[in-house]
Amino acid sequence: MAIQLRKNTVLSDDNKKTFKAIIVLNEMINGNHQFSSSAYGDDAVLQPLFHELVANGYIISSGSVYKVSSKGRGVFDTFMKRYTEYLKVYDVFSFVDLEKGEFAFSSYFDFDNDDDWFNFTDNERFDDLRIAVAMFKKADPAEIVFMSFINENRFDTSVSGWQNDLMADTAWGEIEEICNTAIKPEDVGEDAMVDMINQGSELMIKLMEEEQKQNSNNNNYGGGTTTTTIVEEETIEYYEPYYDPYYISPIWLVPLFIW
């Protein structure tokens, strides 16, 4: 499969609406904030988005507040499945020493605390290959960056005025910039990309197995059940198709929202 050169990433209005809607749906489903259909205060800026979500059946008006519809929950569940895969599949490519072919995550369990891990990975020898891997697998690189922003709590809905930040262009311009300046598959070469993805996939499974082992030891020590171990075993089996460097899960191939 020949690597095709990619044009610069430019987020469409629909891309931006999708990302904004995910943040709002998450706040509606997992947060404590109730959004009034009369739209006042900081929530007023979200009203155009709410109108489109209502028009497309993703939320409904219930009395004086908005509620997530079953259709909206289905979309959010699909996104969360993708997000779970992002954390498992793509994060391992965050810190790669291309010269030595080494992954920082191969040493992940050598560190006792986050500070030591962050100090280790804060080294210019490591490159971020997540965008390159996403492009190689025909996934949307902008969605990968958006997920990394979520993981870093860049859309903190506990901060006053978060609604204005969400509707502004700052975050979306930054996502475009990251996509356009990141290492691309053509910068690495197809053979090297295949090799890196193979190594990363093998490492991902090893990390999951080590996590399973540690969870099992903790459960046994605490006298708990083996439920967690069973879940982890099923999870490992689920990710085994990623041994194929060209594999992409079908859940990434469907659009989240139809606007």
PDB file of all heavy atoms in Angstrom, residues 20 24 35-36 38-51 161-168:
ATOM      1  N   LYS A  20     -17.734  19.938  19.437  1.00  0.00           N
ATOM      2  CA  LYS A  20     -18.449  20.719  20.444  1.00  0.00           C
ATOM      3  C   LYS A  20     -19.596  19.906  21.036  1.00  0.00           C
ATOM      4  O   LYS A  20     -19.835  19.930  22.256  1.00  0.00           O
ATOM      5  CB  LYS A  20     -18.990  22.009  19.824  1.00  0.00           C
ATOM      6  CG  LYS A  20     -17.920  22.995  19.391  1.00  0.00           C
ATOM      7  CD  LYS A  20     -18.528  24.148  18.590  1.00  0.00           C
ATOM      8  CE  LYS A  20     -17.459  25.065  18.031  1.00  0.00           C
ATOM      9  NZ  LYS A  20     -18.034  26.134  17.173  1.00  0.00           N
ATOM     10  N   VAL A  24     -20.544  18.823  25.010  1.00  0.00           N
ATOM     11  CA  VAL A  24     -21.832  19.169  25.622  1.00  0.00           C
ATOM     12  C   VAL A  24     -22.582  17.906  26.044  1.00  0.00           C
ATOM     13  O   VAL A  24     -23.143  17.853  27.143  1.00  0.00           O
ATOM     14  CB  VAL A  24     -22.675  20.019  24.650  1.00  0.00           C
ATOM     15  CG1 VAL A  24     -24.102  20.170  25.171  1.00  0.00           C
ATOM     16  CG2 VAL A  24     -22.045  21.397  24.464  1.00  0.00           C
ATOM     17  N   PHE A  35     -28.975  22.226  31.314  1.00  0.00           N
ATOM     18  CA  PHE A  35     -29.047  23.303  30.332  1.00  0.00           C
ATOM     19  C   PHE A  35     -30.498  23.683  30.104  1.00  0.00           C
ATOM     20  O   PHE A  35     -31.310  22.851  29.678  1.00  0.00           O
ATOM     21  CB  PHE A  35     -28.395  22.876  29.021  1.00  0.00           C
ATOM     22  CG  PHE A  35     -26.921  22.611  29.132  1.00  0.00           C
ATOM     23  CD1 PHE A  35     -26.446  21.318  29.335  1.00  0.00           C
ATOM     24  CD2 PHE A  35     -26.006  23.653  29.049  1.00  0.00           C
ATOM     25  CE1 PHE A  35     -25.088  21.074  29.432  1.00  0.00           C
ATOM     26  CE2 PHE A  35     -24.642  23.415  29.146  1.00  0.00           C
ATOM     27  CZ  PHE A  35     -24.180  22.125  29.350  1.00  0.00           C
ATOM     28  N   SER A  36     -30.803  24.932  30.363  1.00  0.00           N
ATOM     29  CA  SER A  36     -32.171  25.421  30.196  1.00  0.00           C
ATOM     30  C   SER A  36     -32.460  25.697  28.727  1.00  0.00           C
ATOM     31  O   SER A  36     -31.620  26.238  28.001  1.00  0.00           O
ATOM     32  CB  SER A  36     -32.375  26.708  31.009  1.00  0.00           C
ATOM     33  OG  SER A  36     -33.615  27.301  30.701  1.00  0.00           O
ATOM     34  N   SER A  38     -34.391  27.836  27.705  1.00  0.00           N
ATOM     35  CA  SER A  38     -34.568  29.287  27.536  1.00  0.00           C
ATOM     36  C   SER A  38     -33.227  30.001  27.385  1.00  0.00           C
ATOM     37  O   SER A  38     -33.186  31.194  27.078  1.00  0.00           O
ATOM     38  CB  SER A  38     -35.339  29.877  28.717  1.00  0.00           C
ATOM     39  OG  SER A  38     -34.645  29.648  29.940  1.00  0.00           O
ATOM     40  N   ALA A  39     -32.127  29.270  27.628  1.00  0.00           N
ATOM     41  CA  ALA A  39     -30.760  29.741  27.370  1.00  0.00           C
ATOM     42  C   ALA A  39     -30.455  31.102  27.973  1.00  0.00           C
ATOM     43  O   ALA A  39     -30.732  32.139  27.392  1.00  0.00           O
ATOM     44  CB  ALA A  39     -30.476  29.780  25.880  1.00  0.00           C
ATOM     45  N   TYR A  40     -29.863  31.099  29.140  1.00  0.00           N
ATOM     46  CA  TYR A  40     -29.465  32.350  29.776  1.00  0.00           C
ATOM     47  C   TYR A  40     -28.058  32.196  30.341  1.00  0.00           C
ATOM     48  O   TYR A  40     -27.532  31.084  30.460  1.00  0.00           O
ATOM     49  CB  TYR A  40     -30.446  32.732  30.890  1.00  0.00           C
ATOM     50  CG  TYR A  40     -30.597  31.683  31.972  1.00  0.00           C
ATOM     51  CD1 TYR A  40     -29.736  31.645  33.057  1.00  0.00           C
ATOM     52  CD2 TYR A  40     -31.599  30.727  31.891  1.00  0.00           C
ATOM     53  CE1 TYR A  40     -29.863  30.680  34.045  1.00  0.00           C
ATOM     54  CE2 TYR A  40     -31.736  29.750  32.875  1.00  0.00           C
ATOM     55  CZ  TYR A  40     -30.877  29.736  33.953  1.00  0.00           C
ATOM     56  OH  TYR A  40     -31.000  28.770  34.918  1.00  0.00           O
ATOM     57  N   GLY A  41     -27.440  33.324  30.698  1.00  0.00           N
ATOM     58  CA  GLY A  41     -26.093  33.303  31.262  1.00  0.00           C
ATOM     59  C   GLY A  41     -25.076  32.783  30.274  1.00  0.00           C
ATOM     60  O   GLY A  41     -25.185  32.982  29.055  1.00  0.00           O
ATOM     61  N   ASP A  42     -24.071  32.099  30.782  1.00  0.00           N
ATOM     62  CA  ASP A  42     -22.995  31.581  29.932  1.00  0.00           C
ATOM     63  C   ASP A  42     -23.488  30.556  28.924  1.00  0.00           C
ATOM     64  O   ASP A  42     -22.857  30.345  27.877  1.00  0.00           O
ATOM     65  CB  ASP A  42     -21.902  30.947  30.804  1.00  0.00           C
ATOM     66  CG  ASP A  42     -21.097  31.972  31.586  1.00  0.00           C
ATOM     67  OD1 ASP A  42     -21.066  33.145  31.158  1.00  0.00           O
ATOM     68  OD2 ASP A  42     -20.511  31.604  32.615  1.00  0.00           O
ATOM     69  N   ASP A  43     -24.616  29.896  29.227  1.00  0.00           N
ATOM     70  CA  ASP A  43     -25.135  28.870  28.314  1.00  0.00           C
ATOM     71  C   ASP A  43     -25.729  29.448  27.038  1.00  0.00           C
ATOM     72  O   ASP A  43     -25.942  28.722  26.066  1.00  0.00           O
ATOM     73  CB  ASP A  43     -26.207  28.028  29.013  1.00  0.00           C
ATOM     74  CG  ASP A  43     -25.648  27.144  30.108  1.00  0.00           C
ATOM     75  OD1 ASP A  43     -24.409  26.947  30.128  1.00  0.00           O
ATOM     76  OD2 ASP A  43     -26.430  26.645  30.937  1.00  0.00           O
ATOM     77  N   ALA A  44     -26.015  30.752  27.039  1.00  0.00           N
ATOM     78  CA  ALA A  44     -26.680  31.360  25.885  1.00  0.00           C
ATOM     79  C   ALA A  44     -25.884  31.170  24.598  1.00  0.00           C
ATOM     80  O   ALA A  44     -26.455  30.995  23.516  1.00  0.00           O
ATOM     81  CB  ALA A  44     -26.927  32.844  26.144  1.00  0.00           C
ATOM     82  N   VAL A  45     -24.559  31.185  24.716  1.00  0.00           N
ATOM     83  CA  VAL A  45     -23.714  31.053  23.525  1.00  0.00           C
ATOM     84  C   VAL A  45     -23.851  29.674  22.883  1.00  0.00           C
ATOM     85  O   VAL A  45     -23.542  29.488  21.700  1.00  0.00           O
ATOM     86  CB  VAL A  45     -22.240  31.354  23.892  1.00  0.00           C
ATOM     87  CG1 VAL A  45     -21.639  30.225  24.733  1.00  0.00           C
ATOM     88  CG2 VAL A  45     -21.397  31.587  22.643  1.00  0.00           C
ATOM     89  N   LEU A  46     -24.333  28.695  23.638  1.00  0.00           N
ATOM     90  CA  LEU A  46     -24.490  27.333  23.123  1.00  0.00           C
ATOM     91  C   LEU A  46     -25.811  27.124  22.385  1.00  0.00           C
ATOM     92  O   LEU A  46     -26.025  26.072  21.785  1.00  0.00           O
ATOM     93  CB  LEU A  46     -24.416  26.325  24.273  1.00  0.00           C
ATOM     94  CG  LEU A  46     -23.126  26.283  25.094  1.00  0.00           C
ATOM     95  CD1 LEU A  46     -23.282  25.301  26.252  1.00  0.00           C
ATOM     96  CD2 LEU A  46     -21.948  25.875  24.221  1.00  0.00           C
ATOM     97  N   GLN A  47     -26.687  28.110  22.439  1.00  0.00           N
ATOM     98  CA  GLN A  47     -28.031  27.911  21.908  1.00  0.00           C
ATOM     99  C   GLN A  47     -28.070  27.502  20.431  1.00  0.00           C
ATOM    100  O   GLN A  47     -28.846  26.612  20.073  1.00  0.00           O
ATOM    101  CB  GLN A  47     -28.873  29.174  22.135  1.00  0.00           C
ATOM    102  CG  GLN A  47     -30.368  28.965  21.982  1.00  0.00           C
ATOM    103  CD  GLN A  47     -30.948  28.025  23.037  1.00  0.00           C
ATOM    104  OE1 GLN A  47     -30.248  27.612  23.955  1.00  0.00           O
ATOM    105  NE2 GLN A  47     -32.195  27.653  22.881  1.00  0.00           N
ATOM    106  N   PRO A  48     -27.261  28.092  19.543  1.00  0.00           N
ATOM    107  CA  PRO A  48     -27.275  27.619  18.141  1.00  0.00           C
ATOM    108  C   PRO A  48     -26.926  26.131  18.025  1.00  0.00           C
ATOM    109  O   PRO A  48     -27.500  25.418  17.194  1.00  0.00           O
ATOM    110  CB  PRO A  48     -26.211  28.496  17.467  1.00  0.00           C
ATOM    111  CG  PRO A  48     -26.158  29.735  18.302  1.00  0.00           C
ATOM    112  CD  PRO A  48     -26.384  29.275  19.713  1.00  0.00           C
ATOM    113  N   LEU A  49     -25.980  25.665  18.850  1.00  0.00           N
ATOM    114  CA  LEU A  49     -25.631  24.247  18.843  1.00  0.00           C
ATOM    115  C   LEU A  49     -26.786  23.397  19.333  1.00  0.00           C
ATOM    116  O   LEU A  49     -27.104  22.353  18.745  1.00  0.00           O
ATOM    117  CB  LEU A  49     -24.387  24.013  19.706  1.00  0.00           C
ATOM    118  CG  LEU A  49     -23.899  22.567  19.832  1.00  0.00           C
ATOM    119  CD1 LEU A  49     -23.515  22.000  18.473  1.00  0.00           C
ATOM    120  CD2 LEU A  49     -22.709  22.479  20.794  1.00  0.00           C
ATOM    121  N   PHE A  50     -27.450  23.837  20.403  1.00  0.00           N
ATOM    122  CA  PHE A  50     -28.600  23.107  20.914  1.00  0.00           C
ATOM    123  C   PHE A  50     -29.720  23.027  19.872  1.00  0.00           C
ATOM    124  O   PHE A  50     -30.376  21.988  19.734  1.00  0.00           O
ATOM    125  CB  PHE A  50     -29.126  23.759  22.194  1.00  0.00           C
ATOM    126  CG  PHE A  50     -28.351  23.392  23.426  1.00  0.00           C
ATOM    127  CD1 PHE A  50     -27.780  24.366  24.223  1.00  0.00           C
ATOM    128  CD2 PHE A  50     -28.182  22.065  23.775  1.00  0.00           C
ATOM    129  CE1 PHE A  50     -27.062  24.025  25.355  1.00  0.00           C
ATOM    130  CE2 PHE A  50     -27.461  21.718  24.904  1.00  0.00           C
ATOM    131  CZ  PHE A  50     -26.896  22.697  25.702  1.00  0.00           C
ATOM    132  N   HIS A  51     -29.939  24.096  19.136  1.00  0.00           N
ATOM    133  CA  HIS A  51     -30.980  24.092  18.109  1.00  0.00           C
ATOM    134  C   HIS A  51     -30.705  23.005  17.063  1.00  0.00           C
ATOM    135  O   HIS A  51     -31.621  22.307  16.625  1.00  0.00           O
ATOM    136  CB  HIS A  51     -31.048  25.464  17.433  1.00  0.00           C
ATOM    137  CG  HIS A  51     -31.711  26.502  18.278  1.00  0.00           C
ATOM    138  ND1 HIS A  51     -31.574  27.866  18.047  1.00  0.00           N
ATOM    139  CD2 HIS A  51     -32.515  26.403  19.365  1.00  0.00           C
ATOM    140  CE1 HIS A  51     -32.264  28.536  18.949  1.00  0.00           C
ATOM    141  NE2 HIS A  51     -32.836  27.672  19.763  1.00  0.00           N
ATOM    142  N   GLY A 161     -17.124  30.110  32.370  1.00  0.00           N
ATOM    143  CA  GLY A 161     -16.963  30.616  31.015  1.00  0.00           C
ATOM    144  C   GLY A 161     -16.496  29.588  30.006  1.00  0.00           C
ATOM    145  O   GLY A 161     -16.139  29.948  28.875  1.00  0.00           O
ATOM    146  N   TRP A 162     -16.515  28.299  30.375  1.00  0.00           N
ATOM    147  CA  TRP A 162     -16.045  27.257  29.450  1.00  0.00           C
ATOM    148  C   TRP A 162     -16.865  27.245  28.158  1.00  0.00           C
ATOM    149  O   TRP A 162     -16.349  26.854  27.089  1.00  0.00           O
ATOM    150  CB  TRP A 162     -16.086  25.882  30.111  1.00  0.00           C
ATOM    151  CG  TRP A 162     -17.473  25.382  30.436  1.00  0.00           C
ATOM    152  CD1 TRP A 162     -18.151  25.532  31.601  1.00  0.00           C
ATOM    153  CD2 TRP A 162     -18.356  24.654  29.559  1.00  0.00           C
ATOM    154  NE1 TRP A 162     -19.394  24.948  31.532  1.00  0.00           N
ATOM    155  CE2 TRP A 162     -19.552  24.394  30.290  1.00  0.00           C
ATOM    156  CE3 TRP A 162     -18.256  24.188  28.259  1.00  0.00           C
ATOM    157  CZ2 TRP A 162     -20.629  23.702  29.745  1.00  0.00           C
ATOM    158  CZ3 TRP A 162     -19.329  23.497  27.702  1.00  0.00           C
ATOM    159  CH2 TRP A 162     -20.495  23.253  28.440  1.00  0.00           C
ATOM    160  N   GLN A 163     -18.109  27.677  28.237  1.00  0.00           N
ATOM    161  CA  GLN A 163     -18.970  27.666  27.053  1.00  0.00           C
ATOM    162  C   GLN A 163     -18.415  28.579  25.959  1.00  0.00           C
ATOM    163  O   GLN A 163     -18.420  28.223  24.773  1.00  0.00           O
ATOM    164  CB  GLN A 163     -20.394  28.106  27.428  1.00  0.00           C
ATOM    165  CG  GLN A 163     -21.093  27.207  28.441  1.00  0.00           C
ATOM    166  CD  GLN A 163     -20.887  27.663  29.878  1.00  0.00           C
ATOM    167  OE1 GLN A 163     -19.867  28.269  30.204  1.00  0.00           O
ATOM    168  NE2 GLN A 163     -21.840  27.382  30.752  1.00  0.00           N
ATOM    169  N   ASN A 164     -17.937  29.753  26.356  1.00  0.00           N
ATOM    170  CA  ASN A 164     -17.360  30.679  25.387  1.00  0.00           C
ATOM    171  C   ASN A 164     -16.085  30.119  24.785  1.00  0.00           C
ATOM    172  O   ASN A 164     -15.828  30.277  23.585  1.00  0.00           O
ATOM    173  CB  ASN A 164     -17.077  32.032  26.047  1.00  0.00           C
ATOM    174  CG  ASN A 164     -18.342  32.808  26.363  1.00  0.00           C
ATOM    175  OD1 ASN A 164     -19.098  33.158  25.462  1.00  0.00           O
ATOM    176  ND2 ASN A 164     -18.588  33.073  27.637  1.00  0.00           N
ATOM    177  N   ASP A 165     -15.273  29.461  25.606  1.00  0.00           N
ATOM    178  CA  ASP A 165     -14.050  28.846  25.099  1.00  0.00           C
ATOM    179  C   ASP A 165     -14.373  27.758  24.083  1.00  0.00           C
ATOM    180  O   ASP A 165     -13.685  27.605  23.064  1.00  0.00           O
ATOM    181  CB  ASP A 165     -13.231  28.255  26.248  1.00  0.00           C
ATOM    182  CG  ASP A 165     -12.654  29.324  27.172  1.00  0.00           C
ATOM    183  OD1 ASP A 165     -12.514  30.477  26.717  1.00  0.00           O
ATOM    184  OD2 ASP A 165     -12.386  29.014  28.345  1.00  0.00           O
ATOM    185  N   LEU A 166     -15.417  26.974  24.376  1.00  0.00           N
ATOM    186  CA  LEU A 166     -15.797  25.882  23.483  1.00  0.00           C
ATOM    187  C   LEU A 166     -16.250  26.409  22.125  1.00  0.00           C
ATOM    188  O   LEU A 166     -15.935  25.824  21.082  1.00  0.00           O
ATOM    189  CB  LEU A 166     -16.922  25.056  24.117  1.00  0.00           C
ATOM    190  CG  LEU A 166     -17.389  23.828  23.331  1.00  0.00           C
ATOM    191  CD1 LEU A 166     -16.287  22.776  23.286  1.00  0.00           C
ATOM    192  CD2 LEU A 166     -18.655  23.230  23.953  1.00  0.00           C
ATOM    193  N   MET A 167     -16.993  27.509  22.131  1.00  0.00           N
ATOM    194  CA  MET A 167     -17.544  28.038  20.888  1.00  0.00           C
ATOM    195  C   MET A 167     -16.554  28.925  20.134  1.00  0.00           C
ATOM    196  O   MET A 167     -16.800  29.283  18.980  1.00  0.00           O
ATOM    197  CB  MET A 167     -18.820  28.820  21.193  1.00  0.00           C
ATOM    198  CG  MET A 167     -19.926  27.971  21.823  1.00  0.00           C
ATOM    199  SD  MET A 167     -20.398  26.528  20.845  1.00  0.00           S
ATOM    200  CE  MET A 167     -21.297  27.324  19.501  1.00  0.00           C
ATOM    201  N   ALA A 168     -15.450  29.296  20.772  1.00  0.00           N
ATOM    202  CA  ALA A 168     -14.430  30.096  20.095  1.00  0.00           C
ATOM    203  C   ALA A 168     -13.612  29.223  19.146  1.00  0.00           C
ATOM    204  O   ALA A 168     -13.748  27.995  19.116  1.00  0.00           O
ATOM    205  CB  ALA A 168     -13.524  30.765  21.135  1.00  0.00           C
TER     206      ALA A 168
END
